[in-house]
PDB file of all heavy atoms in Angstrom:
ATOM      1  N   ASN A   1       9.756   8.989  -0.012  1.00 95.00           N
ATOM      2  CA  ASN A   1       9.857   8.864  -1.439  1.00 95.00           C
ATOM      3  C   ASN A   1       8.516   8.664  -2.082  1.00 95.00           C
ATOM      4  O   ASN A   1       7.766   7.782  -1.681  1.00 95.00           O
ATOM      5  CB  ASN A   1      10.804   7.642  -1.804  1.00 95.00           C
ATOM      6  CG  ASN A   1      11.118   7.551  -3.272  1.00 95.00           C
ATOM      7  OD1 ASN A   1      10.472   8.149  -4.125  1.00 95.00           O
ATOM      8  ND2 ASN A   1      12.229   6.886  -3.524  1.00 95.00           N
ATOM      9  N   LYS A   2       8.108   9.491  -3.103  1.00 96.00           N
ATOM     10  CA  LYS A   2       6.844   9.400  -3.631  1.00 96.00           C
ATOM     11  C   LYS A   2       6.537   8.080  -4.446  1.00 96.00           C
ATOM     12  O   LYS A   2       5.435   7.648  -4.479  1.00 96.00           O
ATOM     13  CB  LYS A   2       6.666  10.639  -4.654  1.00 96.00           C
ATOM     14  CG  LYS A   2       6.603  11.951  -4.063  1.00 96.00           C
ATOM     15  CD  LYS A   2       5.256  12.196  -3.249  1.00 96.00           C
ATOM     16  CE  LYS A   2       5.280  13.615  -2.776  1.00 96.00           C
ATOM     17  NZ  LYS A   2       4.286  13.780  -1.777  1.00 96.00           N
ATOM     18  N   LEU A   3       7.706   7.503  -4.891  1.00 97.00           N
ATOM     19  CA  LEU A   3       7.472   6.251  -5.625  1.00 97.00           C
ATOM     20  C   LEU A   3       7.042   5.122  -4.643  1.00 97.00           C
ATOM     21  O   LEU A   3       6.140   4.333  -4.954  1.00 97.00           O
ATOM     22  CB  LEU A   3       8.808   5.811  -6.279  1.00 97.00           C
ATOM     23  CG  LEU A   3       8.847   4.507  -7.013  1.00 97.00           C
ATOM     24  CD1 LEU A   3       7.829   4.506  -8.224  1.00 97.00           C
ATOM     25  CD2 LEU A   3      10.258   4.167  -7.464  1.00 97.00           C
ATOM     26  N   HIS A   4       7.628   5.129  -3.413  1.00 96.00           N
ATOM     27  CA  HIS A   4       7.219   4.125  -2.435  1.00 96.00           C
ATOM     28  C   HIS A   4       5.818   4.289  -1.981  1.00 96.00           C
ATOM     29  O   HIS A   4       4.995   3.332  -1.762  1.00 96.00           O
ATOM     30  CB  HIS A   4       8.130   4.118  -1.325  1.00 96.00           C
ATOM     31  CG  HIS A   4       9.548   3.671  -1.644  1.00 96.00           C
ATOM     32  ND1 HIS A   4      10.698   4.094  -0.948  1.00 96.00           N
ATOM     33  CD2 HIS A   4      10.023   2.820  -2.634  1.00 96.00           C
ATOM     34  CE1 HIS A   4      11.768   3.580  -1.533  1.00 96.00           C
ATOM     35  NE2 HIS A   4      11.374   2.832  -2.552  1.00 96.00           N
ATOM     36  N   GLN A   5       5.361   5.618  -1.835  1.00 96.00           N
ATOM     37  CA  GLN A   5       4.010   5.899  -1.584  1.00 96.00           C
ATOM     38  C   GLN A   5       3.023   5.441  -2.642  1.00 96.00           C
ATOM     39  O   GLN A   5       1.967   4.911  -2.349  1.00 96.00           O
ATOM     40  CB  GLN A   5       3.800   7.430  -1.371  1.00 96.00           C
ATOM     41  CG  GLN A   5       4.511   7.981  -0.157  1.00 96.00           C
ATOM     42  CD  GLN A   5       4.433   9.442  -0.110  1.00 96.00           C
ATOM     43  OE1 GLN A   5       3.496  10.053  -0.665  1.00 96.00           O
ATOM     44  NE2 GLN A   5       5.307  10.154   0.533  1.00 96.00           N
ATOM     45  N   GLN A   6       3.456   5.618  -3.847  1.00 96.00           N
ATOM     46  CA  GLN A   6       2.620   5.212  -5.034  1.00 96.00           C
ATOM     47  C   GLN A   6       2.490   3.641  -5.034  1.00 96.00           C
ATOM     48  O   GLN A   6       1.413   3.110  -5.327  1.00 96.00           O
ATOM     49  CB  GLN A   6       3.253   5.697  -6.280  1.00 96.00           C
ATOM     50  CG  GLN A   6       2.437   5.415  -7.563  1.00 96.00           C
ATOM     51  CD  GLN A   6       3.085   5.885  -8.808  1.00 96.00           C
ATOM     52  OE1 GLN A   6       4.068   6.669  -8.697  1.00 96.00           O
ATOM     53  NE2 GLN A   6       2.568   5.529  -9.973  1.00 96.00           N
ATOM     54  N   ILE A   7       3.565   2.947  -4.792  1.00 96.00           N
ATOM     55  CA  ILE A   7       3.610   1.494  -4.743  1.00 96.00           C
ATOM     56  C   ILE A   7       2.630   0.927  -3.699  1.00 96.00           C
ATOM     57  O   ILE A   7       1.849   0.100  -3.911  1.00 96.00           O
ATOM     58  CB  ILE A   7       5.027   0.917  -4.550  1.00 96.00           C
ATOM     59  CG1 ILE A   7       5.870   1.084  -5.795  1.00 96.00           C
ATOM     60  CG2 ILE A   7       5.020  -0.492  -4.115  1.00 96.00           C
ATOM     61  CD1 ILE A   7       7.329   0.892  -5.534  1.00 96.00           C
ATOM     62  N   ALA A   8       2.713   1.536  -2.466  1.00 95.00           N
ATOM     63  CA  ALA A   8       1.881   1.186  -1.421  1.00 95.00           C
ATOM     64  C   ALA A   8       0.396   1.426  -1.650  1.00 95.00           C
ATOM     65  O   ALA A   8      -0.521   0.697  -1.230  1.00 95.00           O
ATOM     66  CB  ALA A   8       2.334   1.871  -0.085  1.00 95.00           C
ATOM     67  N   ASN A   9       0.044   2.483  -2.392  1.00 95.00           N
ATOM     68  CA  ASN A   9      -1.318   2.895  -2.676  1.00 95.00           C
ATOM     69  C   ASN A   9      -1.861   2.266  -3.974  1.00 95.00           C
ATOM     70  O   ASN A   9      -3.065   2.397  -4.261  1.00 95.00           O
ATOM     71  CB  ASN A   9      -1.422   4.456  -2.816  1.00 95.00           C
ATOM     72  CG  ASN A   9      -2.773   4.987  -2.557  1.00 95.00           C
ATOM     73  OD1 ASN A   9      -3.537   4.397  -1.823  1.00 95.00           O
ATOM     74  ND2 ASN A   9      -3.052   6.041  -3.299  1.00 95.00           N
ATOM     75  N   GLU A  10      -1.084   1.521  -4.627  1.00 95.00           N
ATOM     76  CA  GLU A  10      -1.515   0.924  -5.946  1.00 95.00           C
ATOM     77  C   GLU A  10      -2.769   0.083  -5.884  1.00 95.00           C
ATOM     78  O   GLU A  10      -3.597   0.211  -6.812  1.00 95.00           O
ATOM     79  CB  GLU A  10      -0.292   0.073  -6.544  1.00 95.00           C
ATOM     80  CG  GLU A  10      -0.461  -0.186  -7.973  1.00 95.00           C
ATOM     81  CD  GLU A  10       0.770  -0.872  -8.517  1.00 95.00           C
ATOM     82  OE1 GLU A  10       1.838  -0.769  -7.943  1.00 95.00           O
ATOM     83  OE2 GLU A  10       0.682  -1.428  -9.684  1.00 95.00           O
ATOM     84  N   PRO A  11      -2.922  -0.774  -4.899  1.00 95.00           N
ATOM     85  CA  PRO A  11      -4.276  -1.586  -4.935  1.00 95.00           C
ATOM     86  C   PRO A  11      -5.479  -0.740  -4.818  1.00 95.00           C
ATOM     87  O   PRO A  11      -6.497  -0.944  -5.479  1.00 95.00           O
ATOM     88  CB  PRO A  11      -4.134  -2.483  -3.675  1.00 95.00           C
ATOM     89  CG  PRO A  11      -2.621  -2.600  -3.431  1.00 95.00           C
ATOM     90  CD  PRO A  11      -2.089  -1.271  -3.857  1.00 95.00           C
ATOM     91  N   PHE A  12      -5.431   0.335  -3.992  1.00 94.00           N
ATOM     92  CA  PHE A  12      -6.547   1.281  -3.885  1.00 94.00           C
ATOM     93  C   PHE A  12      -6.802   2.059  -5.240  1.00 94.00           C
ATOM     94  O   PHE A  12      -7.926   2.191  -5.711  1.00 94.00           O
ATOM     95  CB  PHE A  12      -6.369   2.336  -2.815  1.00 94.00           C
ATOM     96  CG  PHE A  12      -6.437   1.676  -1.483  1.00 94.00           C
ATOM     97  CD1 PHE A  12      -5.384   1.888  -0.604  1.00 94.00           C
ATOM     98  CD2 PHE A  12      -7.512   1.082  -1.018  1.00 94.00           C
ATOM     99  CE1 PHE A  12      -5.481   1.372   0.701  1.00 94.00           C
ATOM    100  CE2 PHE A  12      -7.613   0.535   0.272  1.00 94.00           C
ATOM    101  CZ  PHE A  12      -6.565   0.693   1.143  1.00 94.00           C
ATOM    102  N   ALA A  13      -5.719   2.423  -5.873  1.00 94.00           N
ATOM    103  CA  ALA A  13      -5.790   3.100  -7.211  1.00 94.00           C
ATOM    104  C   ALA A  13      -6.383   2.204  -8.261  1.00 94.00           C
ATOM    105  O   ALA A  13      -7.161   2.634  -9.096  1.00 94.00           O
ATOM    106  CB  ALA A  13      -4.480   3.662  -7.654  1.00 94.00           C
ATOM    107  N   GLU A  14      -6.016   0.897  -8.276  1.00 94.00           N
ATOM    108  CA  GLU A  14      -6.493  -0.014  -9.247  1.00 94.00           C
ATOM    109  C   GLU A  14      -7.999  -0.280  -9.026  1.00 94.00           C
ATOM    110  O   GLU A  14      -8.713  -0.449 -10.080  1.00 94.00           O
ATOM    111  CB  GLU A  14      -5.799  -1.303  -9.022  1.00 94.00           C
ATOM    112  CG  GLU A  14      -6.061  -2.445 -10.045  1.00 94.00           C
ATOM    113  CD  GLU A  14      -5.629  -2.050 -11.430  1.00 94.00           C
ATOM    114  OE1 GLU A  14      -4.619  -1.406 -11.590  1.00 94.00           O
ATOM    115  OE2 GLU A  14      -6.322  -2.385 -12.412  1.00 94.00           O
ATOM    116  N   LEU A  15      -8.589  -0.260  -7.875  1.00 93.00           N
ATOM    117  CA  LEU A  15      -9.992  -0.511  -7.600  1.00 93.00           C
ATOM    118  C   LEU A  15     -10.751   0.899  -7.463  1.00 93.00           C
ATOM    119  O   LEU A  15     -11.949   0.819  -7.190  1.00 93.00           O
ATOM    120  CB  LEU A  15     -10.109  -1.299  -6.342  1.00 93.00           C
ATOM    121  CG  LEU A  15      -9.592  -2.723  -6.413  1.00 93.00           C
ATOM    122  CD1 LEU A  15      -9.535  -3.376  -5.069  1.00 93.00           C
ATOM    123  CD2 LEU A  15     -10.206  -3.478  -7.426  1.00 93.00           C
ATOM    124  N   GLN A  16     -10.116   1.991  -7.617  1.00 92.00           N
ATOM    125  CA  GLN A  16     -10.738   3.383  -7.465  1.00 92.00           C
ATOM    126  C   GLN A  16     -11.372   3.430  -6.060  1.00 92.00           C
ATOM    127  O   GLN A  16     -12.496   3.866  -5.976  1.00 92.00           O
ATOM    128  CB  GLN A  16     -11.737   3.694  -8.543  1.00 92.00           C
ATOM    129  CG  GLN A  16     -11.164   3.878  -9.888  1.00 92.00           C
ATOM    130  CD  GLN A  16     -11.261   2.705 -10.806  1.00 92.00           C
ATOM    131  OE1 GLN A  16     -12.055   1.849 -10.621  1.00 92.00           O
ATOM    132  NE2 GLN A  16     -10.275   2.612 -11.690  1.00 92.00           N
ATOM    133  N   LEU A  17     -10.627   3.004  -5.077  1.00 92.00           N
ATOM    134  CA  LEU A  17     -11.103   3.101  -3.642  1.00 92.00           C
ATOM    135  C   LEU A  17     -10.214   4.076  -2.775  1.00 92.00           C
ATOM    136  O   LEU A  17     -10.275   3.890  -1.584  1.00 92.00           O
ATOM    137  CB  LEU A  17     -11.100   1.696  -3.048  1.00 92.00           C
ATOM    138  CG  LEU A  17     -12.016   0.685  -3.588  1.00 92.00           C
ATOM    139  CD1 LEU A  17     -11.774  -0.698  -3.009  1.00 92.00           C
ATOM    140  CD2 LEU A  17     -13.432   1.122  -3.500  1.00 92.00           C
ATOM    141  N   GLU A  18      -9.526   4.998  -3.375  1.00 91.00           N
ATOM    142  CA  GLU A  18      -8.710   5.957  -2.561  1.00 91.00           C
ATOM    143  C   GLU A  18      -9.638   6.667  -1.643  1.00 91.00           C
ATOM    144  O   GLU A  18     -10.599   7.215  -1.977  1.00 91.00           O
ATOM    145  CB  GLU A  18      -7.909   6.965  -3.450  1.00 91.00           C
ATOM    146  CG  GLU A  18      -6.885   6.280  -4.334  1.00 91.00           C
ATOM    147  CD  GLU A  18      -7.310   6.162  -5.827  1.00 91.00           C
ATOM    148  OE1 GLU A  18      -8.551   6.039  -6.022  1.00 91.00           O
ATOM    149  OE2 GLU A  18      -6.429   6.197  -6.623  1.00 91.00           O
ATOM    150  N   GLY A  19      -9.138   6.847  -0.384  1.00 91.00           N
ATOM    151  CA  GLY A  19      -9.833   7.562   0.586  1.00 91.00           C
ATOM    152  C   GLY A  19     -11.046   6.885   1.274  1.00 91.00           C
ATOM    153  O   GLY A  19     -11.836   7.490   2.020  1.00 91.00           O
ATOM    154  N   ARG A  20     -11.301   5.623   0.955  1.00 92.00           N
ATOM    155  CA  ARG A  20     -12.457   4.833   1.490  1.00 92.00           C
ATOM    156  C   ARG A  20     -12.079   4.006   2.697  1.00 92.00           C
ATOM    157  O   ARG A  20     -12.955   3.535   3.388  1.00 92.00           O
ATOM    158  CB  ARG A  20     -13.208   4.059   0.470  1.00 92.00           C
ATOM    159  CG  ARG A  20     -13.677   4.968  -0.643  1.00 92.00           C
ATOM    160  CD  ARG A  20     -15.032   4.633  -1.204  1.00 92.00           C
ATOM    161  NE  ARG A  20     -15.797   3.579  -0.707  1.00 92.00           N
ATOM    162  CZ  ARG A  20     -16.348   2.608  -1.436  1.00 92.00           C
ATOM    163  NH1 ARG A  20     -16.130   2.533  -2.709  1.00 92.00           N
ATOM    164  NH2 ARG A  20     -17.076   1.706  -0.879  1.00 92.00           N
ATOM    165  N   PHE A  21     -10.790   3.732   2.851  1.00 94.00           N
ATOM    166  CA  PHE A  21     -10.380   2.795   3.931  1.00 94.00           C
ATOM    167  C   PHE A  21      -9.173   3.437   4.718  1.00 94.00           C
ATOM    168  O   PHE A  21      -8.342   4.058   4.081  1.00 94.00           O
ATOM    169  CB  PHE A  21      -9.883   1.479   3.338  1.00 94.00           C
ATOM    170  CG  PHE A  21     -10.992   0.611   2.788  1.00 94.00           C
ATOM    171  CD1 PHE A  21     -11.320   0.697   1.389  1.00 94.00           C
ATOM    172  CD2 PHE A  21     -11.782  -0.185   3.639  1.00 94.00           C
ATOM    173  CE1 PHE A  21     -12.291  -0.083   0.870  1.00 94.00           C
ATOM    174  CE2 PHE A  21     -12.734  -1.004   3.118  1.00 94.00           C
ATOM    175  CZ  PHE A  21     -13.101  -0.883   1.751  1.00 94.00           C
ATOM    176  N   ASP A  22      -9.140   3.147   6.055  1.00 94.00           N
ATOM    177  CA  ASP A  22      -8.044   3.472   6.785  1.00 94.00           C
ATOM    178  C   ASP A  22      -7.137   2.277   6.877  1.00 94.00           C
ATOM    179  O   ASP A  22      -7.590   1.134   6.976  1.00 94.00           O
ATOM    180  CB  ASP A  22      -8.412   3.856   8.248  1.00 94.00           C
ATOM    181  CG  ASP A  22      -9.132   5.186   8.350  1.00 94.00           C
ATOM    182  OD1 ASP A  22      -9.077   5.945   7.323  1.00 94.00           O
ATOM    183  OD2 ASP A  22      -9.790   5.461   9.357  1.00 94.00           O
ATOM    184  N   VAL A  23      -5.766   2.459   6.819  1.00 95.00           N
ATOM    185  CA  VAL A  23      -4.802   1.398   6.739  1.00 95.00           C
ATOM    186  C   VAL A  23      -3.999   1.516   8.075  1.00 95.00           C
ATOM    187  O   VAL A  23      -3.458   2.537   8.365  1.00 95.00           O
ATOM    188  CB  VAL A  23      -3.898   1.434   5.534  1.00 95.00           C
ATOM    189  CG1 VAL A  23      -2.882   0.348   5.598  1.00 95.00           C
ATOM    190  CG2 VAL A  23      -4.763   1.432   4.232  1.00 95.00           C
ATOM    191  N   ILE A  24      -3.986   0.409   8.743  1.00 95.00           N
ATOM    192  CA  ILE A  24      -3.057   0.266  10.001  1.00 95.00           C
ATOM    193  C   ILE A  24      -2.088  -0.868   9.643  1.00 95.00           C
ATOM    194  O   ILE A  24      -2.541  -2.010   9.397  1.00 95.00           O
ATOM    195  CB  ILE A  24      -3.990   0.028  11.274  1.00 95.00           C
ATOM    196  CG1 ILE A  24      -4.908   1.046  11.478  1.00 95.00           C
ATOM    197  CG2 ILE A  24      -3.013  -0.190  12.400  1.00 95.00           C
ATOM    198  CD1 ILE A  24      -6.342   0.616  11.361  1.00 95.00           C
ATOM    199  N   ALA A  25      -0.837  -0.602   9.704  1.00 96.00           N
ATOM    200  CA  ALA A  25       0.176  -1.537   9.375  1.00 96.00           C
ATOM    201  C   ALA A  25       1.310  -1.599  10.309  1.00 96.00           C
ATOM    202  O   ALA A  25       1.685  -0.513  10.872  1.00 96.00           O
ATOM    203  CB  ALA A  25       0.654  -1.328   7.948  1.00 96.00           C
ATOM    204  N   ARG A  26       1.901  -2.788  10.547  1.00 97.00           N
ATOM    205  CA  ARG A  26       3.161  -2.951  11.283  1.00 97.00           C
ATOM    206  C   ARG A  26       4.097  -3.631  10.312  1.00 97.00           C
ATOM    207  O   ARG A  26       3.873  -4.725   9.823  1.00 97.00           O
ATOM    208  CB  ARG A  26       2.897  -3.888  12.442  1.00 97.00           C
ATOM    209  CG  ARG A  26       1.841  -3.407  13.495  1.00 97.00           C
ATOM    210  CD  ARG A  26       2.334  -2.169  14.289  1.00 97.00           C
ATOM    211  NE  ARG A  26       3.465  -2.526  15.087  1.00 97.00           N
ATOM    212  CZ  ARG A  26       4.354  -1.680  15.665  1.00 97.00           C
ATOM    213  NH1 ARG A  26       4.054  -0.356  15.517  1.00 97.00           N
ATOM    214  NH2 ARG A  26       5.330  -2.043  16.409  1.00 97.00           N
ATOM    215  N   ILE A  27       5.225  -2.910  10.049  1.00 97.00           N
ATOM    216  CA  ILE A  27       6.193  -3.411   9.130  1.00 97.00           C
ATOM    217  C   ILE A  27       7.566  -3.608   9.827  1.00 97.00           C
ATOM    218  O   ILE A  27       7.954  -2.715  10.575  1.00 97.00           O
ATOM    219  CB  ILE A  27       6.325  -2.418   7.922  1.00 97.00           C
ATOM    220  CG1 ILE A  27       5.013  -2.124   7.261  1.00 97.00           C
ATOM    221  CG2 ILE A  27       7.299  -3.070   6.895  1.00 97.00           C
ATOM    222  CD1 ILE A  27       5.086  -1.129   6.118  1.00 97.00           C
ATOM    223  N   HIS A  28       8.250  -4.661   9.510  1.00 97.00           N
ATOM    224  CA  HIS A  28       9.574  -4.892  10.008  1.00 97.00           C
ATOM    225  C   HIS A  28      10.429  -5.624   9.008  1.00 97.00           C
ATOM    226  O   HIS A  28       9.882  -6.313   8.187  1.00 97.00           O
ATOM    227  CB  HIS A  28       9.605  -5.520  11.350  1.00 97.00           C
ATOM    228  CG  HIS A  28       9.109  -6.939  11.303  1.00 97.00           C
ATOM    229  ND1 HIS A  28       7.864  -7.390  11.299  1.00 97.00           N
ATOM    230  CD2 HIS A  28       9.854  -8.129  11.207  1.00 97.00           C
ATOM    231  CE1 HIS A  28       7.765  -8.667  11.289  1.00 97.00           C
ATOM    232  NE2 HIS A  28       8.977  -9.144  11.187  1.00 97.00           N
ATOM    233  N   GLY A  29      11.736  -5.414   9.076  1.00 96.00           N
ATOM    234  CA  GLY A  29      12.599  -6.155   8.133  1.00 96.00           C
ATOM    235  C   GLY A  29      12.816  -5.411   6.836  1.00 96.00           C
ATOM    236  O   GLY A  29      11.954  -4.775   6.399  1.00 96.00           O
ATOM    237  N   GLY A  30      13.944  -5.707   6.186  1.00 94.00           N
ATOM    238  CA  GLY A  30      14.187  -5.289   4.875  1.00 94.00           C
ATOM    239  C   GLY A  30      14.485  -3.769   4.811  1.00 94.00           C
ATOM    240  O   GLY A  30      14.571  -3.095   5.779  1.00 94.00           O
ATOM    241  N   GLY A  31      14.526  -3.326   3.505  1.00 95.00           N
ATOM    242  CA  GLY A  31      14.688  -1.846   3.313  1.00 95.00           C
ATOM    243  C   GLY A  31      13.340  -1.189   2.884  1.00 95.00           C
ATOM    244  O   GLY A  31      12.341  -1.810   2.962  1.00 95.00           O
ATOM    245  N   THR A  32      13.556   0.034   2.531  1.00 96.00           N
ATOM    246  CA  THR A  32      12.279   0.850   2.179  1.00 96.00           C
ATOM    247  C   THR A  32      11.578   0.238   0.939  1.00 96.00           C
ATOM    248  O   THR A  32      10.326   0.211   0.932  1.00 96.00           O
ATOM    249  CB  THR A  32      12.597   2.307   1.966  1.00 96.00           C
ATOM    250  OG1 THR A  32      13.618   2.410   0.945  1.00 96.00           O
ATOM    251  CG2 THR A  32      13.060   2.957   3.246  1.00 96.00           C
ATOM    252  N   ALA A  33      12.280  -0.124  -0.125  1.00 95.00           N
ATOM    253  CA  ALA A  33      11.607  -0.679  -1.298  1.00 95.00           C
ATOM    254  C   ALA A  33      10.916  -1.972  -1.025  1.00 95.00           C
ATOM    255  O   ALA A  33       9.789  -2.272  -1.398  1.00 95.00           O
ATOM    256  CB  ALA A  33      12.627  -0.855  -2.433  1.00 95.00           C
ATOM    257  N   GLY A  34      11.599  -2.868  -0.287  1.00 96.00           N
ATOM    258  CA  GLY A  34      10.948  -4.078   0.171  1.00 96.00           C
ATOM    259  C   GLY A  34       9.789  -3.942   1.135  1.00 96.00           C
ATOM    260  O   GLY A  34       8.784  -4.619   0.917  1.00 96.00           O
ATOM    261  N   GLN A  35       9.817  -2.966   1.911  1.00 96.00           N
ATOM    262  CA  GLN A  35       8.685  -2.665   2.865  1.00 96.00           C
ATOM    263  C   GLN A  35       7.508  -2.108   2.067  1.00 96.00           C
ATOM    264  O   GLN A  35       6.362  -2.487   2.483  1.00 96.00           O
ATOM    265  CB  GLN A  35       9.115  -1.764   3.956  1.00 96.00           C
ATOM    266  CG  GLN A  35      10.026  -2.371   4.999  1.00 96.00           C
ATOM    267  CD  GLN A  35      10.341  -1.443   6.138  1.00 96.00           C
ATOM    268  OE1 GLN A  35      10.050  -0.284   6.153  1.00 96.00           O
ATOM    269  NE2 GLN A  35      10.941  -2.012   7.157  1.00 96.00           N
ATOM    270  N   ALA A  36       7.795  -1.284   1.049  1.00 96.00           N
ATOM    271  CA  ALA A  36       6.649  -0.752   0.242  1.00 96.00           C
ATOM    272  C   ALA A  36       5.997  -1.859  -0.497  1.00 96.00           C
ATOM    273  O   ALA A  36       4.802  -1.911  -0.618  1.00 96.00           O
ATOM    274  CB  ALA A  36       7.195   0.291  -0.690  1.00 96.00           C
ATOM    275  N   GLY A  37       6.811  -2.773  -1.082  1.00 96.00           N
ATOM    276  CA  GLY A  37       6.298  -3.974  -1.792  1.00 96.00           C
ATOM    277  C   GLY A  37       5.508  -4.886  -0.879  1.00 96.00           C
ATOM    278  O   GLY A  37       4.424  -5.377  -1.309  1.00 96.00           O
ATOM    279  N   ALA A  38       5.991  -5.089   0.455  1.00 96.00           N
ATOM    280  CA  ALA A  38       5.228  -5.904   1.293  1.00 96.00           C
ATOM    281  C   ALA A  38       3.868  -5.264   1.707  1.00 96.00           C
ATOM    282  O   ALA A  38       2.887  -5.931   1.820  1.00 96.00           O
ATOM    283  CB  ALA A  38       6.067  -6.126   2.584  1.00 96.00           C
ATOM    284  N   LEU A  39       3.960  -3.958   1.913  1.00 96.00           N
ATOM    285  CA  LEU A  39       2.705  -3.228   2.238  1.00 96.00           C
ATOM    286  C   LEU A  39       1.725  -3.269   1.095  1.00 96.00           C
ATOM    287  O   LEU A  39       0.583  -3.480   1.358  1.00 96.00           O
ATOM    288  CB  LEU A  39       3.056  -1.728   2.564  1.00 96.00           C
ATOM    289  CG  LEU A  39       1.922  -0.836   2.990  1.00 96.00           C
ATOM    290  CD1 LEU A  39       1.287  -1.440   4.313  1.00 96.00           C
ATOM    291  CD2 LEU A  39       2.346   0.504   3.266  1.00 96.00           C
ATOM    292  N   ARG A  40       2.143  -3.202  -0.077  1.00 97.00           N
ATOM    293  CA  ARG A  40       1.273  -3.333  -1.261  1.00 97.00           C
ATOM    294  C   ARG A  40       0.572  -4.688  -1.356  1.00 97.00           C
ATOM    295  O   ARG A  40      -0.594  -4.754  -1.556  1.00 97.00           O
ATOM    296  CB  ARG A  40       2.073  -3.087  -2.627  1.00 97.00           C
ATOM    297  CG  ARG A  40       1.209  -3.216  -3.842  1.00 97.00           C
ATOM    298  CD  ARG A  40       1.903  -2.949  -5.004  1.00 97.00           C
ATOM    299  NE  ARG A  40       2.793  -4.130  -5.445  1.00 97.00           N
ATOM    300  CZ  ARG A  40       3.409  -4.211  -6.601  1.00 97.00           C
ATOM    301  NH1 ARG A  40       3.390  -3.277  -7.401  1.00 97.00           N
ATOM    302  NH2 ARG A  40       4.121  -5.314  -6.798  1.00 97.00           N
ATOM    303  N   LEU A  41       1.411  -5.717  -1.094  1.00 96.00           N
ATOM    304  CA  LEU A  41       0.730  -7.039  -1.160  1.00 96.00           C
ATOM    305  C   LEU A  41      -0.218  -7.254   0.040  1.00 96.00           C
ATOM    306  O   LEU A  41      -1.337  -7.860  -0.117  1.00 96.00           O
ATOM    307  CB  LEU A  41       1.829  -8.121  -1.076  1.00 96.00           C
ATOM    308  CG  LEU A  41       1.418  -9.610  -1.045  1.00 96.00           C
ATOM    309  CD1 LEU A  41       0.600  -9.911  -2.270  1.00 96.00           C
ATOM    310  CD2 LEU A  41       2.510 -10.545  -0.889  1.00 96.00           C
ATOM    311  N   GLY A  42       0.139  -6.749   1.186  1.00 96.00           N
ATOM    312  CA  GLY A  42      -0.838  -6.825   2.347  1.00 96.00           C
ATOM    313  C   GLY A  42      -2.051  -6.099   2.138  1.00 96.00           C
ATOM    314  O   GLY A  42      -3.199  -6.579   2.424  1.00 96.00           O
ATOM    315  N   VAL A  43      -2.028  -4.858   1.592  1.00 95.00           N
ATOM    316  CA  VAL A  43      -3.208  -4.105   1.226  1.00 95.00           C
ATOM    317  C   VAL A  43      -4.113  -4.860   0.192  1.00 95.00           C
ATOM    318  O   VAL A  43      -5.218  -4.887   0.328  1.00 95.00           O
ATOM    319  CB  VAL A  43      -2.898  -2.676   0.809  1.00 95.00           C
ATOM    320  CG1 VAL A  43      -4.076  -1.951   0.271  1.00 95.00           C
ATOM    321  CG2 VAL A  43      -2.315  -1.918   1.932  1.00 95.00           C
ATOM    322  N   ALA A  44      -3.462  -5.414  -0.809  1.00 95.00           N
ATOM    323  CA  ALA A  44      -4.168  -6.066  -1.869  1.00 95.00           C
ATOM    324  C   ALA A  44      -4.893  -7.269  -1.355  1.00 95.00           C
ATOM    325  O   ALA A  44      -6.018  -7.561  -1.702  1.00 95.00           O
ATOM    326  CB  ALA A  44      -3.228  -6.421  -3.058  1.00 95.00           C
ATOM    327  N   ARG A  45      -4.182  -8.070  -0.473  1.00 95.00           N
ATOM    328  CA  ARG A  45      -4.787  -9.255   0.061  1.00 95.00           C
ATOM    329  C   ARG A  45      -5.965  -8.851   1.003  1.00 95.00           C
ATOM    330  O   ARG A  45      -6.929  -9.553   1.084  1.00 95.00           O
ATOM    331  CB  ARG A  45      -3.745 -10.068   0.872  1.00 95.00           C
ATOM    332  CG  ARG A  45      -2.784 -10.848  -0.031  1.00 95.00           C
ATOM    333  CD  ARG A  45      -1.771 -11.631   0.787  1.00 95.00           C
ATOM    334  NE  ARG A  45      -1.029 -12.535  -0.029  1.00 95.00           N
ATOM    335  CZ  ARG A  45       0.005 -13.193   0.491  1.00 95.00           C
ATOM    336  NH1 ARG A  45       0.359 -13.084   1.731  1.00 95.00           N
ATOM    337  NH2 ARG A  45       0.674 -14.035  -0.368  1.00 95.00           N
ATOM    338  N   SER A  46      -5.843  -7.755   1.699  1.00 95.00           N
ATOM    339  CA  SER A  46      -6.889  -7.312   2.606  1.00 95.00           C
ATOM    340  C   SER A  46      -8.140  -6.949   1.763  1.00 95.00           C
ATOM    341  O   SER A  46      -9.274  -7.303   2.158  1.00 95.00           O
ATOM    342  CB  SER A  46      -6.424  -6.131   3.490  1.00 95.00           C
ATOM    343  OG  SER A  46      -5.395  -6.490   4.366  1.00 95.00           O
TER     344      SER A  46
END
C-alpha cells in the first residue's frame, strides 16, 4: 500500500534526507497500519 510506504518514509521527507540512509528494521505484532506507524516512529527516533 502506497499510503503505508508514505507513512514510513515521512521522517526522511520532513528533513529532505530521502536516499541518504539505508534502513534495516525488524517488525513484529499488530497489523500493517500499526507496523507502518511503528516504523515511522523508529526512523524518526533514529
Side-chain angles (χ1 to χ4, degrees):
N1 189 337
K2 295 287 185 195
L3 179 64
H4 294 151
Q5 293 175 21
Q6 183 180 352
I7 288 170
N9 201 34
E10 197 173 341
F12 290 122
E14 185 65 35
L15 298 172
Q16 289 98 29
L17 294 175
E18 292 104 331
R20 299 221 2 231
F21 291 94
D22 290 344
V23 179
I24 301 114
R26 300 290 296 165
I27 306 177
H28 68 274
T32 54
Q35 288 185 351
L39 183 59
R40 178 178 78 171
L41 179 60
V43 168
R45 284 179 172 175
S46 297

